[in-house]
Amino acid sequence: MIKKRIAALMVFFAAVFGMAVFLSESYSASTGTESIQAFRDIPLAVISTCLLALLAILLLFFVRNIRLTKNAVTHVNEIAEARQNLQSLLDMLPVGVRILSIEDFTLLYSNEACLKVFGCTSFEEQVRGQSGFGFMPEYQPDGRKTADLVDEFARAGAFVAEMQCLKLNREPFTCRITTSCTIHYNGHRASLAIMEDVTAEEEYRRILKETAIKEQEANHLKSRFLANMSHEIRTPINAIMGMHELALRESEIKVKNEHIFTAKQAALNLLTIINDILDFSKIEAGKMEIVPENYEVASLLNDLVSMIRTRMIDSQVHFTVKVDRNIPQTLYGDETRLRQAVLNILNNAVKYTEKGFVSFSVHGEFQDDDTVNITFEITDTGIGIKKEDTDKLFDDFTQFDLEKNRGVEGVGLGLAITHSIIKAMDGLISVNSEYGTGSTFTVTLPQKYHSRKELAAVLDADEKNIMIYERREAYAESIAWSLDNLHVDYTFIKSGTDLYEKMETKPCDYLFISYELYERNEETILKFGKDTKTVLLSEFCETIYEKNVNVLALPVYCLQLADILNGSGDAFSYTADNGHIVSFLAPDARVLIVDDIMTNLKVTQGLLAPYNMRVDLCDNGMSAIEAVRTTRYDLVFMDHKMPGMDGVEATRRIRDMAENDLYYKNIPIIALTANAVSGVMDMFLDNGFNDFLSKPIDTLKLDIILEKWLPKNKQEREL
C-alpha cells in the first residue's frame, strides 16, 4: 500500500510540474502564434489560484502520506514486538513447544524446554531445518512404522499420543505429543505441538501395574497359605491327641513309648510351624533384630549337627559334614539368627530327600584383619527344583509341586525367613538345582573375629598311623576329607583280608571302622590291635554294646577327629530306647526344679531321669527360696513367669543371701522360660541367672547345660 501511495504522489508532482512549465513558457514569449496569444488573455489571478490549489492539494497529500507511513511503521513495530514477546513467552514455558512444517516435516522452532527434552543445547546449530523424523526411530516398540503412525495422526488433526522418540545422543525415551491446531509461521503452514518426556511416568505406571499384579498374587498366596496352614496345624494336633489316646490305652511299654515318641515328633512339627509364623510376623513388622555377640563356632556346629541328626532317625539318607579346621574358634555375629537360617535350609534338605545323602560343609575365606566370610553349603540328592520356580524360591508362602509333596510338612515360610535373615546380616544366599536330581544351597556371611586360632588341630599329625574301614562311600569320603584337612595321613581298608594283612604287618594307632564291619572282623582287631585305638562309627541312635571302645556317632568331622587323635575325645553312648543323648550320669548330684505348672515340673523331671540325679520340685518362688536355704543344691532350674513372686525376684533374693554364705552366690541358677526373644539372655544374666533354657526343652541343650554347670566331680562318664 505504501508503494502505491508513493507512485501516485510522483505522478501528481509530474503533472503539476508540466503545467507550471507550460504556463511559464506561454507568459514569457513576446511573440507567438494566435493560440499562444489566447493564453495571454487568461487572467493571471486565475492561473495563480490554480497553482495554489494544486500546491495545497499536494501539501495535503504529502502530509497524509507521512501520517499513514508513520502509522504503518508503528504497526510493523508492534507486530515485531508482539512476535518477540510471543517468542519469549514460548521460550519461558516449562513444557516443550515445537513448530513443525506440515509441508516437508522440517523443524521451524523449538523452545528451551523442548530442546531440553531432546537433549539439545542450541536450536540454530542442532535443530533448525532438521527433519522431525531424525528425532524418531524408524519403528516404534510395538512394531509399527513411525512414518505411518505420524501420517495417521496428521489425518486426525488434533491428537494426543505417546510415541518413542530419540534424544540427540540417540537415547530412546517416551514422549507425549499434544497438537491441537495448524498455524502459519514465517510463511510456512505449520503444526504446533507440546512435547513431554513421560519416560518416568510410564515407568511409574509400569511399576504400579506390576505392584498390583504382585499384590494380587500375594493375596492369592496368602489365601492358599492360610488354607495350607490350617491343614498343617490340624495334622500334628490330631497326631498328638491321637497318639496320647493310644498310649493311654496301650499296656505294652514298648508300643506305648512308640506312640509317645510319635506324639513328640508331631508336637515338634507343630512348634516349628508356629515359630515360622511368629518369625515371619516379626520380619513383616520390621522388628527382627540382629544382635551380634561373640560365639563359639564349635557350639554352633554341634547344635546344627545334633538337631539335624535327631530328625534323621530311621532314615536311609546319609548325613555327612565337612568343616574347614582353619575357621577361627570364636566369631562375632548373631549366633541365634545364623543357627536359625542354616537350620531352615538343612531341615528342607532332610524333608525333601528320601534317598542318597545330605551334605553339610563349612569353610571360611579371610577378607582383612578382622573379617572372614563364612560359607555354608548344603547339598542333597532330593527332588530338586524346576528352573521356572527358582526365582520364586525365597518368596513368602511359596511351596512347589504341591501334588507331589502333599505329605511334606511346612507352610512355605522357612526359606523366606532365611532369605530375610541372611539379607539383614549382609550375607548372600543362592541355589543351584536340577529337578529330580538334587539341590545345593550356598550361604555366605561376613563375620568378625579377634583371633585366627583355628577351630581344630591335631598334635604331631605326621606321626599318626590311621586306617579307615568304611564301606558307605559318603561317610568314607567325608572322613577322608576331614583327615586331609587336618593334615593327617590315612589308609583305606578295602576288605577283611586287606585289614588282616595290614594289621599283621604294621598295626595302626587308630582304626575308624563301622560297627557292622567291626563285628565281622573283631577277631582280627583283638589279635593284632592291642595297641590300636578302635573308634566305632555308628548311625545316630544305633545301640552299641561293645565296651572299652570309642564310639563316634556319624557324621564325623574335624572337631571329633581332632579330639580323638589328640587323646581327649570322650565316648558317648546313644540308645534308641529313650531317644535321649546322655553324656554322663550324676547319681550324687541334687537338682531343684521350680515351676508353677505341675505338667512342666513332671516333664522337666522326666528329662532329668536318665542322669540318675536326685530331683526336688517347687511350685512357687517363696518355696524355692526356702528350699535353697535348707538344702545344698548343685543346680536350680527356675521358671521365669510365676504368679506372686516370679523367677527373677526369687533369684535376686537368693543372691542377696550371699552376705553370710557364698553358696548362695555360686549356686548355678538356670532360667526356664518360654520367652526366647533376642536380648532375654542379657536380662537374665543381669538379674543373677547363670544361663537360660527355653521351653519346650531341647534334650540336647539340656545335656549341654548340665555338663557345663554341674560339678565335674559329680559327673560319671562310664555308662
Side-chain angles (χ1 to χ4, degrees), residues 696-708:
I697 297 173
D698 186 317
T699 55
L700 295 171
K701 293 181 179 179
L702 174 63
D703 188 78
I704 293 171
I705 289 288
L706 292 171
E707 184 178 15
K708 180 179 180 180

Side-chain angles (χ1 to χ4, degrees), residues 562-684:
D563 284 345
I564 290 291
L565 297 180
N566 289 331
S568 58
D570 292 325
F572 292 83
S573 175
Y574 301 88
T575 66
D577 294 334
N578 52 29
H580 296 293
I581 296 177
V582 178
S583 56
F584 62 90
L585 300 179
D588 295 331
R590 190 158 188 174
V591 174
L592 175 67
I593 306 173
V594 186
D595 199 307
D596 63 301
I597 299 176
M598 183 56 63
T599 303
N600 291 342
L601 288 172
K602 292 296 183 182
V603 168
T604 308
Q605 184 183 32
L607 294 177
L608 294 177
Y611 297 90
N612 292 343
M613 60 182 66
R614 291 180 293 174
V615 178
D616 294 334
L617 307 177
C618 279
D619 61 0
N620 61 76
M622 287 298 298
S623 297
I625 295 173
E626 185 61 30
V628 171
R629 181 181 287 114
T630 58
T631 305
R632 296 279 171 162
Y633 290 103
D634 297 298
L635 186 67
V636 175
F637 287 102
M638 181 76 72
D639 184 30
H640 179 200
K641 298 292 186 180
M642 294 184 292
M645 182 185 297
D646 66 8
V648 173
E649 178 63 24
T651 300
R652 188 181 299 118
R653 294 197 184 185
I654 291 173
R655 298 304 186 200
D656 290 341
M657 295 159 58
E659 295 181 1
N660 302 322
D661 192 339
L662 291 179
Y663 156 74
Y664 299 107
K665 177 182 179 182
N666 298 327
I667 179 176
I669 302 179
I670 312 301
L672 284 177
T673 178
N675 181 13
V677 299
S678 58
V680 70
M681 177 67 171
D682 293 334
M683 186 276 289
F684 285 128

Side-chain angles (χ1 to χ4, degrees), residues 56-113:
I57 293 171
L58 177 63
L59 181 62
L60 288 173
F61 184 82
F62 182 72
V63 171
R64 178 175 175 78
N65 186 65
I66 292 174
R67 182 179 298 170
L68 290 174
T69 301
K70 184 177 180 181
N71 290 339
V73 170
T74 301
H75 184 63
V76 169
N77 290 337
E78 288 176 350
I79 292 175
E81 184 178 359
R83 178 177 293 177
Q84 184 64 37
N85 290 338
L86 178 60
Q87 180 104 7
S88 299
L89 179 62
L90 291 176
D91 287 338
M92 292 172 60
L93 287 176
V95 295
V97 177
R98 179 219 63 184
I99 298 178
L100 187 75
S101 171
I102 295 177
E103 299 160 357
D104 56 7
F105 211 64
T106 56
L107 292 163
L108 304 176
Y109 168 78
S110 292
N111 69 350
E112 292 295 328

